[in-house]
Amino acid sequence: MDPLIWVIDDEDSIRFVFDRALSSSNINHRLFETGDAALEALKTEIPDVIVSDINMPGTDGLELINKVHEVDPKIPFIIITANSDLSSAISSYEHGSFEYLPKPFDVDTAIEVIRRAAVHRVNITRQKDKVQNTTNDSDDMEIIGKSPAMQEVFKFIGRVSKTEVPVFIFGESGTGRELVALALHNHSDRKKNGKFVSVNISSLPKETIEHELFYNDDEVSCALERANGGTLFINEICDMPMDAQTRLLTVLQSNEYMPLGQSTPRKVNVRMIASSSQNLETLSNEGKFISDLYYRLNVIHINMPPLRDRNNDIPMLANHFLAQSALETGQEPKKLTSEVLVFLCRQPWPGNVRQLKNLCKYLTIMVTGRDIQMSDLPSEYTEARNQQAKITTSIAGTSKEPTSWQEQLRNWVDGRLRAGEHDILSEATPEFERVMLEAALAFTSNHKQESAKLLGWGRNTLTRKLKELNIHS
């Protein structure tokens, strides 16, 4: 179905201009003189894009945005106004407008913005359906990866989820340890009978850790009670004080615990999953972790790979996070250029997947265009790139930045392959020929026979290429 565009403006001339421009572009549309008339029509019809003036009799443009978005918050609004000051611009964006066009505006530009808004509307709807379907199918949709390292993680979840034995997950911060623990719970029989309860030891003050795990009162149950029948995940167990370790060891030994301030033990049925960014065996050898607790937790263990060891997953992860961020912010999903994609795949990622996710949120909010360029990256990334180039230059005597067209082409191919694209020659070959042909024609002042000779083609071949590539000379 063709998108429906509404234009709302009290000026006859503005409505006339939009009517002619949209009609000549074969774009389905309706015209309204007031916001009140549009709100009345909204009772029976939902547009895909709304173009509206701000200052109108009755319901003004900003009030109109609020009322329309109560019905459908995803309808893109394009605000047009003669008051092209900072206050008007800020107000329109604060109210959720898609774009802001000060009068007088170029009609062709306005039509292009309308087309972008219509595409945005379609993309948001599709993305929402996609995420909802994914959520319905799986509770661990963010465990993403095709690399061999992640395939081992998936196999581990498949083999271990149906068992009852404790699991220990080792890995750096941000590698997705909690997601694996959640997946183990979601794919187990315990999901039917109990909850998944997560306790992050590193985020709690030391004096409250035992309270969180073992204290009950009339209003609040401890983590063990909340997880009874289900799964208790203890993140960064390496930071747990010795007294709390001793109490936890009792739980693993006898399936009961002594609540703080009480003298009668309580039975509890939990599956224990723990994780650490530090080596527990080393800590136990140093006397900082109870050895018996370590061995009871480490019945089955898995090492989560850092992102730098699975960089082939970065394009897939980045596209997922960009789409997710776009859905959360109501924007069109951004796209990484090949240069940026290659650059990101070569980064060390000390913050791992969490760092990449945060970067994608930043880019979704801060980048105005759809394509993300190197200049759009935060300063710490560009500074790291410059520093890396300096180091390379000082060691090798020459910079390794792609200065030749072959190197740039190689990076482009690398980016496309990492993004999982296929049949890339069908895209590259016509563009390569287009650049060569346009450069030759420019060099010879559009002399076709001379251009064909310089390119090594016959005159008929050049004529055929001009037609195939839609080049007008």
Side-chain angles (χ1 to χ4, degrees), residues 139-155:
D139 291 313
D140 37 86
M141 66 181 210
E142 286 193 87
I143 305 181
I144 295 172
K146 292 184 178 180
S147 63
M150 287 308 295
Q151 293 305 308
E152 289 301 314
V153 173
F154 297 152
K155 290 177 185 177

Side-chain angles (χ1 to χ4, degrees), residues 183 321 329 405:
F321 292 142
T329 57
W405 67 267

Side-chain angles (χ1 to χ4, degrees), residues 406-426:
Q406 293 96 332
E407 183 66 19
Q408 293 179 41
L409 177 61
R410 187 174 291 107
N411 284 344
W412 180 87
V413 173
D414 190 19
R416 288 294 189 270
L417 295 176
R418 289 180 185 276
E421 297 184 12
H422 301 83
D423 193 27
I424 58 176
L425 274 176
S426 64

Side-chain angles (χ1 to χ4, degrees), residues 166-197:
V167 175
F168 177 67
I169 306 170
F170 175 77
E172 297 176 9
S173 177
T175 52
R177 290 170 292 168
E178 184 168 358
L179 288 175
V180 172
L182 179 60
L184 288 170
H185 171 78
N186 286 336
H187 292 281
S188 72
D189 295 333
R190 286 184 171 267
K191 184 182 180 182
K192 305 173 185 176
N193 306 313
K195 297 179 180 179
F196 174 84
V197 177

Side-chain angles (χ1 to χ4, degrees), residues 70 93 106 113 136 153 164 168 212 268 323 326 329 372 390 444 453:
E70 288 177 3
Y93 286 123
D106 180 74
V113 172
N136 293 334
V153 173
E164 291 290 316
F168 177 67
E212 170 66 22
V268 69
T329 57
I372 297 171
K390 290 179 182 178
T444 62
K453 182 178 179 181

